[in-house]
Amino acid sequence: ESRSYYLMYHELVLYRGVVTRVASGGNYDQVALPLHAGWHFPTAPVATVREPREAWTVAALGATGAQILLLVLLAAGFITMLARLERATSNRFEWYASMLFLVVTASSFLVPGALYLHECWAMTLILLSLAVRTDRRWWPAVVFGVAAVMFRETALVYLGTMAAVALFQKRWSEVAGWAGGGLAFRILLRDIPQ
């Protein structure tokens, strides 16, 4: 446990340093790569250096503004999911168990410095994606899912899972939406100048 705390502390310091330098006008890659190397974090393959959206967001809004945005997104996801679970669960035990899971998950994102962790942004956006998805209106879920990938590329697993579920349910246009979102990220978004 102490090793994971040690690594998380160093990640927070690393990404706070990246944000500070990006806020001062630095190019993300020119800032992030030397800082990664300086903290003995890997710099290859490309996925080991996180996507720039977290740094851009925190740099643009400031730490307080970004923390407020993250908490607003988390609250919106939590409230929307609460309403969805209220309608979807067949008994109170399922509802309470789901709420406990949501609270425990959400509380892990409220640690000091969470706004500097890409995973917190991605998981919050995934929560929103799950909360807003319906059989008739799936596209907002795709939008939030792609936004999650823009913060942390490992959220591609979520897009793939949702595409697989849609495929299993023979929802062809939804399959195309999820797959298209992932493909667009891989082809276009990683090449945005940083």
Side-chain angles (χ1 to χ4, degrees):
E1 184 178 329
S2 63
R3 177 158 168 74
S4 64
Y5 174 78
Y6 174 82
L7 290 174
M8 186 176 83
Y9 170 77
H10 284 283
E11 278 191 53
L12 287 172
V13 173
L14 169 67
Y15 297 124
R16 186 178 289 129
V18 170
V19 166
T20 301
R21 291 184 179 163
V22 168
S24 297
N27 173 285
Y28 181 80
D29 283 331
Q30 292 173 354
V31 165
L33 291 172
L35 284 173
H36 271 73
W39 279 95
H40 305 290
F41 279 83
T43 57
V46 71
T48 58
V49 177
R50 307 285 167 81
E51 292 300 317
R53 279 86 192 167
E54 174 272 336
W56 291 345
T57 301
V58 178
L61 299 175
T64 302
Q67 185 70 43
I68 290 169
L69 176 60
L70 183 60
L71 291 174
V72 166
L73 291 172
L74 184 61
F78 189 82
I79 291 166
T80 306
M81 187 60 83
L82 177 70
R84 291 282 313 268
L85 289 171
E86 185 69 32
R87 292 187 304 270
T89 55
S90 59
N91 64 50
R92 296 315 283 173
F93 175 76
E94 288 177 1
W95 188 86
Y96 287 122
S98 299
M99 282 298 94
L100 178 63
F101 178 73
L102 276 174
V103 168
V104 169
T105 301
S107 68
S108 67
F109 298 126
L110 300 175
V111 298
L115 70 149
Y116 296 104
L117 296 175
H118 300 74
E119 294 80 4
C120 292
W121 290 92
M123 291 306 300
T124 300
L125 292 162
I126 288 172
L127 173 63
L128 274 165
S129 176
L130 288 169
V132 301
R133 191 212 164 274
T134 65
D135 290 344
R136 298 181 80 183
R137 290 190 54 217
W138 50 264
W139 64 267
V142 172
V143 170
F144 282 120
V146 171
V149 174
M150 291 175 70
F151 278 89
R152 187 69 169 111
E153 68 284 341
T154 54
L156 280 168
V157 173
Y158 170 71
L159 297 185
T161 301
M162 294 303 285
V165 169
L167 180 65
F168 179 76
Q169 295 175 344
K170 299 180 181 173
R171 299 178 182 279
W172 309 120
S173 58
E174 188 176 351
V175 171
W178 291 108
L183 188 60
F185 171 78
R186 288 319 290 153
I187 291 172
L188 303 172
L189 297 179
R190 183 59 187 163
D191 295 327
I192 291 174
Q194 301 172 18

